[in-house]
Amino acid sequence: MTNSTADAQTDAAASVTLHTLLGDLVTAAHRLTRLAAQATERTESPAAWRTIAVLQAMGPMRLGELARQSRVTQPTMTKIIRGLDDLDWVKRIVDSDDARASLIASTPKGERALGEWRDDLSTALLPYFDDLPGDDIEVLRRAVGILTDRAGRGAGRSDGEARK
């Protein structure tokens, strides 16, 4: 077997392993989120939190783009925004590029609520992780850094663009 053949087989095996690992990571993240959300007993929908998080991370945007970023339909996003507006967690602002249109922006009150929710999630998960040894905590810290970096690279991109 030539070196290039062996390298190609090693790369293929690593790719399959990474593919499986990424699938497992997404599954575990969803399970952790559900576990923590159930433990907090908060009543807000995950879509509401996701909407505030998108606005906080990406800034004001039109309703259609917000729906796309949150992976819901425009009518669903309209309903979510109505509820968030009632809580004063979002506000509409004039689009400086088109005065006929408006942008949706998070408010300081909405961002505080998001921070409190994230703190509630962390508190709910603490009993499941408080016995981890320091080395495992460091692995989690590194993993969070890697995931934050990689997710940041894909923010706002379509599936095809994220692969480039």
Side-chain angles (χ1 to χ4, degrees):
M1 185 180 304
T2 66
N3 280 345
S4 62
T5 304
D7 289 345
Q9 289 175 340
T10 300
D11 289 347
S15 178
V16 168
T17 301
L18 180 59
H19 183 271
T20 301
L21 181 61
L22 290 171
D24 292 347
L25 175 68
V26 169
T27 300
H30 283 297
R31 288 175 59 197
L32 273 175
T33 301
R34 280 193 308 274
L35 178 68
Q38 289 168 352
T40 66
E41 299 181 6
R42 305 265 318 232
T43 59
E44 298 88 0
S45 77
W49 295 121
R50 187 172 52 247
T51 300
I52 296 292
V54 166
L55 290 169
Q56 184 182 45
M58 300 180 75
M61 63 183 68
R62 289 186 179 186
L63 186 79
E65 178 61 15
L66 184 55
R68 190 181 76 75
Q69 290 293 328
S70 295
R71 300 182 52 96
V72 299
T73 65
Q74 264 190 285
T76 297
M77 183 53 67
T78 298
K79 183 177 178 183
I80 292 168
I81 293 302
R82 193 174 303 122
L84 294 174
D85 191 36
D86 289 346
L87 295 168
D88 294 323
W89 288 3
V90 296
K91 63 182 176 183
R92 293 182 188 275
I93 58 177
V94 174
D95 185 341
S96 60
D97 294 332
D98 183 353
R100 299 169 298 168
S102 64
L103 302 174
I104 309 297
S106 58
T107 64
K109 185 176 178 181
E111 292 180 8
R112 277 192 307 277
L114 178 63
E116 290 166 6
W117 176 71
R118 287 177 172 163
D119 187 59
D120 289 350
L121 291 178
S122 298
T123 300
L125 289 174
L126 198 55
Y128 298 95
F129 293 89
D130 62 358
D131 63 342
L132 284 179
D135 288 349
D136 286 351
I137 292 171
E138 187 53 36
V139 168
L140 289 176
R141 183 175 287 116
R142 285 196 62 231
V144 166
I146 291 166
L147 295 171
T148 300
D149 176 63
R150 295 300 169 130
R153 290 181 189 184
R157 297 181 182 172
S158 68
D159 290 341
E161 291 174 280
R163 291 189 192 120
K164 290 180 183 174

